[in-house]
């Protein structure tokens, strides 16, 4: 059944707002930044099956920016991997739905993260293993831009290109804001595309909120390297931190701030849209 | 010990295509034959230990049994968070092989002195922590950790005791080996320093002091049963390790015994207390300098035995002394 990814993204955003507010946790801005990417991945691109979450032929997806875990839990709930009612336990006492994504007792979560710079090396290992076994699934990993400060990513970038892991796909959530300030003002990544390309990756850019474009670029990324060089793929997604809530957009404040009271109500109305 | 490991791994890899060896660009001359025989099961990821553990975890999660290989501090400390979060938290079949335990690379300087690894790795949940005392233990541990699901840490010294596996002896992960019998004292050693413990036990025996000698190749899980027996059946316990006294074998033994209520009549931890070693030298030279060689073990045993146990502090005070 075809999933309406726009509607899925809307629900992911609403769930995440509620989860982070109720749990008094951070990172709503980071979740809103990737909600559209997650919706297209879970709703249309990833070959995964809630009836068989560990099917060996499934695509592997790792959220390396684990602080956006509320978005993954919401996407999994909306696609049948766990009951949506469970989302209410996020960050609550005794819950297994942690603020940073964890696989324990959460079907569909491929890998737990939270410390940055861990997802790509693991994804590279999975891609290497898949190639050894001649398996055809893809390994997709979603990084944040600030996360690219971590040296372990660059080790893995060298490795994946050297090993010609063209079954590996990186998406970078490039919202240009990191924890305390802008990326450019903290530890500049530009020329970002050139850096990935010079490491031997096949790089594309996309609007990380345009579902049609995300889907098109992701589907293109599934075809072999046109130059036959086995290059792993990197999609740099231009995004807006806090996307969908006017007073959160482009604001570094919402990396950590929790929406409460009137702010929560206002954010809810904006995200709910016509259905409010 | 390294060779014993590689030889056993070669045998395992021959039978089991899931076995993979990843090196972070170390093992000159040692891994060459393995790489030649099993090109599909060998991978050099370059000088990038964080990526090595990440890649190993990813492969392990896809069903491989992955051994990672580097010099001790690089093998576990540079990539400690990857071992904790990626491998151990996911119960991934990653076996961290750390070569050059203790002062194996004594002449190369403090960067290469691996003297805190056991304490650090013991603290990471769900990790088997092992340090064989001789080649036989190294080979047997290689098989044992390959079989045991989950993350393991294996510290390999440059050389250990002369292998003395008893006829028909079977290795059991988590069990101490009793290498000498006696009731005057128990010497408990982990890692390659076992050779010095053997020498000390033999020298003491020649003078009529008979020590039980336990080789303790795994710190996690720890063989509490053998330790409790040593506490109750012998005159005291001396732990011996080429490692900081903080948190390694001595710490593990003290914690386990005190908590179980089996307080030995005498107790001493032999290990490193002096902080960083800024001097260099051969492994045996540094062992001598830092008072953990056979002569030091012997004199500690004599000294501790010279004390009248009836004059020892009450058990409640013993705890304080152990901590000092």
């Amino acid at each position: 059944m075809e999933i309406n990814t726009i509607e899925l993204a809307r629900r992911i955003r609403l769930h995440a707002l509620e989860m982070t507010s109720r749990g008094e946790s951070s990172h709503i801005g980071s979740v809103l930044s990737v909600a559209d990417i997650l919706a297209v991945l879970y709703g249309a691109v990833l070959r995964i099956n809630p009836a068989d979450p560990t099917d060996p032929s499934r695509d592997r997806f790792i959220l390396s920016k684990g602080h956006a875990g509320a978005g993954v839990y919401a996407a999994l709930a909306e696609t049948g991997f766990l009951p949506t009612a469970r989302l209410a336990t996020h960050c609550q006492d005794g819950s297994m739905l942690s603020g940073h994504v964890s696989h324990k007792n959460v079907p569909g979560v491929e890998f737990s993260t939270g410390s940055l710079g861990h997802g790509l090396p693991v994804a590279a290992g999975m891609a290497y293993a898949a190639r050894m076994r001649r398996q055809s699934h893809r390994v997709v990993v979603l990084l944040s831009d600030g996360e690219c400060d971590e040296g372990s990513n660059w080790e893995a970038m060298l490795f994946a290109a050297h090993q010609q892991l063209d079954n590996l796909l990186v998406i970078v959530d490039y919202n240009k804001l990191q924890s305390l300030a802008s990326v450019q003002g903290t530890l500049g990544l530009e020329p970002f595309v050139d850096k990935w390309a010079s490491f031997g990756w096949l790089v594309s850019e996309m609007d990380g909120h345009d579902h049609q474009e995300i889907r098109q670029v992701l589907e293109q990324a599934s075809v072999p390297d046109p130059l036959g060089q086995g290059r792993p793929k990197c999609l740099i997604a231009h995004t807006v931190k806090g996307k969908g809530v006017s007073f959160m957009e482009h604001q570094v404040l919402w990396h950590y701030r929790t929406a409460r009271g009137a702010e929560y109500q206002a954010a809810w109305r904006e995200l709910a849209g016509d259905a409010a | 010990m390294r060779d014993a490991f590689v030889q056993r791994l070669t045998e395992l890899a021959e039978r089991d295509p899931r076995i993979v060896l990843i090196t972070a660009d170390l093992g000159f001359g040692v891994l060459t034959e393995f790489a030649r025989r099993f090109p599909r099961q060998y991978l050099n990821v370059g000088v990038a230990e964080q990526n090595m553990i990440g890649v190993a975890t990813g492969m392990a999660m896809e069903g491989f049994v992955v051994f990672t290989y580097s010099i001790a501090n690089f093998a576990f400390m540079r990539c400690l968070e990857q071992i904790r979060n990626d491998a151990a938290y996911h119960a991934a079949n990653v076996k961290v092989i750390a070569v050059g335990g203790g002062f194996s690379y004594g002449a190369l300087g403090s960067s290469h002195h691996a003297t805190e690894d056991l304490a650090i790795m013991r603290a990471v949940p769900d990790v088997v922590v092992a340090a064989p005392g001789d080649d036989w233990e190294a080979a047997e541990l290689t098989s044992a950790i390959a079989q045991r699901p989950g993350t393991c840490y294996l510290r390999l010294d440059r050389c250990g005791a002369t292998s003395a596996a008893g006829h028909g002896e079977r290795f059991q992960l988590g069990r101490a080996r009793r290498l000498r019998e006696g009731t005057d004292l128990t010497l408990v050693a982990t890692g390659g320093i076992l050779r010095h413990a053997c020498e000390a036990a033999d020298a003491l025996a020649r003078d009529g002091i008979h020590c039980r000698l336990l080789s303790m190749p795994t710190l996690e899980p720890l063989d509490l049963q053998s330790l409790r027996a040593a506490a109750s059946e012998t005159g005291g316990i001396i732990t011996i390790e080429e490692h900081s006294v903080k948190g390694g074998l001595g710490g593990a033994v003290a914690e386990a015994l005190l908590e179980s209520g089996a307080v030995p009549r005498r107790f001493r931890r032999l290990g490193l207390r002096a902080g960083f070693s800024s001097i260099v030298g051969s492994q045996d030279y540094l062992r001598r300098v830092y008072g953990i060689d056979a002569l030091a073990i012997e004199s500690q045993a004599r000294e501790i035995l010279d004390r009248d146990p009836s004059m020892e502090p009450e058990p409640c005070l013993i705890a304080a002394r152990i901590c000092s």
Side-chain angles (χ1 to χ4, degrees):
Chain A
M1 190 184 70
E2 184 79 6
I3 291 175
N4 178 342
T5 61
I6 301 276
E7 174 59 15
L8 178 55
R10 193 181 75 91
R11 291 186 185 196
I12 290 172
R13 287 189 162 96
L14 285 168
H15 282 307
L17 176 70
E18 193 179 340
M19 290 159 73
T20 52
S21 297
R22 189 196 295 256
E24 300 201 326
S25 59
S26 305
H27 308 121
I28 183 62
S30 310
V31 182
L32 297 177
S33 183
V34 295
D36 294 302
I37 296 167
L38 291 175
V40 175
L41 282 170
Y42 280 95
V45 173
L46 293 174
R47 288 169 297 191
I48 47 174
N49 179 7
D52 187 6
T54 57
D55 175 2
S57 66
R58 74 193 182 280
D59 287 333
R60 275 60 162 171
F61 172 68
I62 294 178
L63 178 75
S64 193
K65 49 172 290 180
H67 52 286
V72 165
Y73 295 143
L76 288 170
E78 285 293 337
T79 51
F81 284 83
L82 58 147
T84 44
R86 230 185 121 186
L87 298 178
T89 70
H90 182 250
C91 290
Q92 303 296 314
D93 291 348
S95 176
M96 295 188 92
L97 297 186
S98 47
H100 294 82
V101 73
S102 177
H103 72 290
K104 299 221 173 180
N105 202 22
V106 187
V109 174
E110 198 71 56
F111 195 74
S112 303
T113 55
S115 175
L116 297 173
H118 286 247
L120 183 51
V122 173
M126 289 177 170
Y128 188 86
R131 199 183 56 191
M132 273 177 85
R133 294 208 161 124
R134 300 181 195 280
Q135 292 168 311
S136 61
H137 61 260
R138 290 162 299 183
V139 184
V140 182
V141 56
L142 177 55
L143 271 61
S144 75
D145 46 12
E147 178 176 12
C148 291
D149 296 353
E150 292 282 4
S152 51
N153 288 315
W154 301 86
E155 292 182 4
M157 283 159 69
L158 286 169
F159 172 80
H162 181 80
Q163 296 294 341
Q164 302 186 317
L165 299 178
D166 58 0
N167 53 350
L168 176 62
L169 172 61
V170 163
I171 305 168
V172 184
D173 170 31
Y174 196 15
N175 60 36
K176 288 97 184 163
L177 288 177
Q178 48 191 91
S179 172
L180 301 181
S182 71
V183 168
Q184 215 47 31
T186 304
L187 194 58
L189 293 171
E190 291 294 341
F192 201 30
V193 169
D194 294 347
K195 285 192 172 79
W196 284 88
S198 71
F199 270 62
W201 287 61
L202 182 57
V203 195
S204 313
E205 293 178 87
M206 65 183 184
D207 176 343
H209 301 300
D210 180 331
H211 286 226
Q212 207 175 350
E213 189 177 338
I214 299 168
R215 190 164 174 174
Q216 197 180 358
V217 173
L218 284 171
E219 278 165 5
Q220 273 172 4
S222 298
V223 303
D225 179 357
L227 294 183
Q229 295 171 348
R231 286 173 293 176
K233 285 116 180 173
C234 173
L235 309 180
I236 294 181
H238 295 281
T239 53
V240 172
K241 194 162 193 156
K243 176 72 177 178
V245 178
S246 56
F247 59 90
M248 293 184 183
E249 291 188 358
H250 302 291
Q251 299 300 315
V252 77
L253 174 72
W254 292 95
H255 188 84
Y256 288 120
R257 189 178 171 97
T258 306
R260 295 183 181 90
E263 279 178 340
Y264 173 80
Q265 299 300 337
W268 178 271
R269 280 194 298 277
E270 287 195 35
L271 292 175
D274 294 341
Chain B
M1 234 183 247
R2 223 170 34 171
D3 293 340
F5 157 73
V6 174
Q7 191 183 331
R8 180 60 61 88
L9 191 70
T10 301
E11 292 162 20
L12 295 172
E14 206 159 35
R15 293 198 300 267
D16 187 349
R18 297 173 309 143
I19 301 259
V20 170
L21 174 62
I22 305 184
T23 176
D25 207 32
L26 284 168
F28 181 73
V30 181
L31 306 180
T32 319
E33 181 59 14
F34 187 97
R36 190 191 64 74
R37 284 186 60 183
F38 310 105
R40 194 179 162 277
Q41 289 161 265
Y42 171 83
L43 179 60
N44 181 354
V45 295
V47 192
E49 295 80 10
Q50 296 180 75
N51 186 55
M52 173 166 71
I53 299 296
V55 166
T57 301
M59 293 184 72
M61 294 188 72
E62 296 296 334
F64 289 92
V65 180
V66 189
F67 286 74
T68 61
Y69 183 100
S70 189
I71 287 179
N73 288 341
F74 320 151
F76 87 96
M77 202 183 273
R78 181 62 167 264
C79 47
L80 181 60
E81 197 184 60
Q82 277 78 11
I83 294 174
R84 179 186 183 274
N85 294 6
D86 301 350
Y89 187 66
H90 293 84
N93 258 329
V94 174
K95 320 299 176 184
V96 178
I97 307 302
V99 294
F103 293 129
S104 294
Y105 294 108
L108 300 189
S110 73
S111 62
H112 284 58
H113 297 166
T115 48
E116 306 89 44
D117 56 331
L118 301 175
I120 292 168
M121 292 311 302
R122 266 187 71 220
V124 180
D126 300 336
V127 178
V128 167
V129 180
D134 63 25
D135 284 356
W136 184 76
E137 289 181 7
E140 292 300 306
L141 272 165
T142 304
S143 298
I145 64 174
Q147 269 197 330
R148 179 163 173 130
T151 304
C152 302
Y153 175 77
L154 181 65
R155 171 206 244 217
L156 297 176
D157 280 356
R158 173 165 281 179
C159 55
T162 307
S163 283
H167 184 65
E169 181 178 357
R170 287 189 59 191
F171 184 84
Q172 275 183 285
L173 189 78
R175 293 304 305 270
R177 299 172 62 216
R178 243 159 103 158
L179 301 181
R180 301 282 189 280
E181 296 299 337
T183 54
D184 293 326
L185 276 179
T186 299
L187 307 179
V188 187
T190 195
I193 197 77
L194 176 66
R195 173 166 66 85
H196 287 266
C198 291
E199 286 172 18
D202 293 341
L204 290 163
R206 285 193 289 274
D207 285 350
I209 300 170
H210 297 282
C211 295
R212 179 179 297 181
L213 174 59
L214 296 180
S215 174
M216 193 65 83
T218 46
L219 268 66
E220 182 61 44
L222 189 70
D223 184 355
L224 180 59
Q225 196 186 337
S226 295
L227 292 169
R228 283 178 60 90
S232 64
E233 295 165 9
T234 71
I237 291 176
I238 298 179
T239 61
I240 303 146
E241 60 198 308
E242 194 165 325
H243 183 275
S244 165
V245 288
K246 296 176 184 168
L249 173 70
V253 170
E255 290 163 14
L257 283 178
L258 274 176
E259 205 164 58
S260 79
V263 180
R265 276 187 285 170
R266 305 173 180 88
F267 185 81
R268 189 159 291 183
R269 295 172 302 160
L270 274 193
L272 307 172
R273 295 173 184 268
F276 285 108
S277 174
S278 48
I279 57 163
V280 300
S282 71
Q283 188 167 25
D284 276 341
Y285 169 80
L286 291 173
R287 285 168 169 171
R288 189 162 68 244
V289 167
Y290 292 108
I292 54 172
D293 67 347
L295 279 175
I297 298 166
E298 204 186 315
S299 77
Q300 290 283 334
R302 290 182 198 283
E303 189 194 311
I304 203 173
L305 277 170
D306 278 346
R307 289 211 219 108
D308 178 356
S310 63
M311 300 296 285
E312 291 285 299
E314 290 300 309
C316 62
L317 298 176
I318 291 176
R321 199 188 68 213
I322 287 167
C323 296
S324 66

